[in-house]
Amino acid sequence: MRTVLPLATITAASMLTMDLYLPAVPTMQLDLGITVAQGQLTIAIFLLGLAASQLVWGELLHRIGPRRCVQTGLLALILTSFGCALAPDLTMLLGLRLVQGIAAGAATVVVPTVVRATLPEQDGVRGIAAIAMIEAIVPAAGPVLGTALLLIADWRTTFAIIGVIALASAPFALRATPVALPSQGDADGDEGGGEGGRVGYRALLRNWHFVGLALAHALSFGALITFVASAPQVLPALANTGQSGFALAQGCGVAGFIVAASQAGRISNRLGPRHAIQLGALLHGLLCTALLAAWWADRLSYPWLLAFWTAFCAVLGIRGPTAFSEALSEPTAQLGRASALMVLALLAVGALATQATAPFLPGGQLGAVALSMSLLCWASCALVARYPDKQASVRARQRPEQEQARL
């Protein structure tokens, strides 16, 4: 807990730069006299900076160390947050939001890397699950708090509060972040890098164990984002729930995820990481197929949808931390790069899946969402169905060496 909780605070501060700010966009547009499209650009440019920075932070982590990465990221996050609060026009705000997105990327790379590198395997799964629970709570609570804040303050105060939170969390996060990652070899005793001692992104992309897990996890995350991004458009028409229907669905999904994630380490330890991931992928495919079948048969009701979404998020709460921890079972010299590639894959697949589904929403409604989620989840299931067991691969490589040693 001394490692996870302080690091979780910088993760929360980084996420608030998006979730606490979202409700303030309309008031910001009125204050600066800009259009809706220009207001939305402040969101898009932040996400661009976040995505583009992943590979950079992954490389810097191994060159300057995790603590200096956190120092740099937090300093930039603090300065840009207060800068956004004082921005006189849209041009200045856009530039600051771009740098703010780059600064927020430090937490997404450094935090899971430090947790995975400094904790034993089972505790690593628990630690990543705890971070994931924070990441689930902030998107649910952030917009609510941001809306309440606008009752007593303006949009500039939102950014000032983010800066204060980042500043207050800095001493605790820096104390919990090591100067350098611990020197620990992987299962086959190679401390220096990937296969054959190679390091770098190219070596990771040649590692099927990592690539298969990263793509499979990104596809399941893409299914999640497809539902979240589409639900405000399609749920109001279901049983006349209005926008409150989306809010309730989000609450149920977050609750299911948190409850399940709290048990992810225990379940992974009992079933084994490989089987826990495979079971989660299979359950995701079956759940989405059931959603599609219910829509096709015109039997889809709002209570049934709530049950589906709660179950889907609960399965992700078990599968997600286990998959992330398993994918990061790389040599220490590659951990930061592996984490960066994982997050970049999540962001890219989520964006592509959302955009691919959007044109079909007006006609297909929930059917288009259910079909997209089913395709993504079954593709994810296919990737992990026979993905290599890393420990078995290590034993296979070691066997000829052991036989040669005996001879």
Side-chain angles (χ1 to χ4, degrees):
M1 299 304 291
R2 287 193 298 269
T3 298
V4 171
L5 287 181
L7 294 177
T9 60
I10 61 171
T11 300
S14 298
M15 295 183 69
L16 285 174
T17 54
M18 174 63 76
D19 297 302
L20 194 67
Y21 166 67
L22 283 175
V25 173
T27 61
M28 179 271 297
Q29 292 166 185
L30 292 174
D31 184 47
L32 296 181
I34 60 177
T35 65
V36 173
Q38 289 173 322
Q40 291 298 107
L41 190 57
T42 64
I43 299 173
I45 201 165
F46 173 88
L47 294 175
L48 174 64
L50 179 66
S53 70
Q54 295 303 299
L55 300 184
V56 176
W57 287 117
E59 191 67 31
L60 284 177
L61 189 147
H62 296 289
R63 293 180 180 273
I64 65 176
R67 182 175 293 178
R68 289 186 64 185
C69 283
V70 170
Q71 285 175 332
T72 304
L74 276 176
L75 178 60
L77 186 64
I78 293 166
L79 293 177
T80 54
S81 295
F82 288 119
C84 287
L86 301 173
D89 53 38
L90 178 64
T91 302
M92 180 66 71
L93 182 60
L94 288 176
L96 289 168
R97 284 289 284 172
L98 177 63
V99 179
Q100 194 177 51
I102 295 172
T108 62
V109 172
V110 173
V111 170
T113 301
V114 169
V115 169
R116 187 63 179 85
T118 58
L119 298 178
E121 182 174 350
Q122 184 178 351
D123 288 337
V125 174
R126 290 176 177 173
I128 291 176
I131 299 297
M133 284 188 277
I134 297 295
E135 293 175 351
I137 292 172
V138 172
V144 176
L145 295 175
T147 302
L149 183 62
L150 290 175
L151 298 176
I152 58 174
D154 62 1
W155 66 273
R156 297 180 184 275
T157 306
T158 299
F159 282 116
I161 289 177
I162 294 170
V164 170
I165 292 173
L167 184 62
S169 66
F172 305 100
L174 291 174
R175 191 177 303 145
T177 306
V179 175
L181 295 178
S183 178
Q184 58 184 47
D186 66 346
D188 60 356
D190 177 17
E191 293 185 11
E195 297 177 3
R198 292 189 298 269
V199 298
Y201 290 112
R202 183 177 297 180
L204 279 173
L205 293 174
R206 291 176 177 175
N207 181 350
W208 169 239
H209 179 269
F210 171 78
V211 171
L213 277 175
L215 285 178
H217 187 44
L219 288 168
S220 66
F221 184 80
L224 174 90
I225 295 300
T226 298
F227 183 91
V228 171
S230 305
Q233 306 294 331
V234 299
L235 282 189
L238 185 64
N240 297 318
T241 57
Q243 290 300 329
S244 61
F246 174 63
L248 180 58
Q250 277 290 82
C252 290
V254 169
F257 182 90
I258 290 174
V259 171
S262 66
Q263 302 300 314
R266 186 175 302 172
I267 293 172
S268 175
N269 186 50
R270 174 169 294 186
L271 297 180
R274 184 184 184 189
H275 290 150
I277 295 168
Q278 290 172 331
L279 178 61
L282 177 61
L283 290 175
H284 269 161
L286 293 174
L287 283 168
C288 293
T289 302
L291 176 67
L292 181 61
W295 173 85
W296 184 267
D298 200 21
R299 296 287 184 88
L300 187 59
S301 64
Y302 184 67
W304 196 98
L305 186 69
L306 288 182
F308 156 79
W309 186 235
T310 304
F312 184 94
C313 293
V315 172
L316 189 64
I318 295 171
R319 174 191 177 185
T322 306
F324 213 110
S325 178
E326 182 75 358
L328 295 187
S329 59
E330 296 295 321
T332 306
Q334 290 285 70
L335 274 181
R337 299 181 183 93
S339 182
L341 283 175
M342 282 284 288
V343 177
L344 183 59
L346 296 180
L347 294 172
V349 173
L352 290 173
T354 300
Q355 290 303 111
T357 306
F360 302 99
L361 291 180
Q365 296 296 316
L366 269 172
V369 178
L371 179 60
S372 296
M373 294 179 72
S374 296
L375 293 175
L376 289 167
C377 287
W378 283 119
S380 176
C381 188
L383 281 172
V384 300
R386 299 184 64 183
Y387 84 84
D389 184 337
K390 188 166 189 177
Q391 297 301 323
S393 300
V394 169
R395 289 193 294 270
R397 292 199 303 268
Q398 288 178 338
R399 193 174 296 117
E401 299 175 2
Q402 294 170 347
E403 291 177 355
Q404 182 67 29
R406 282 197 296 269
L407 291 175

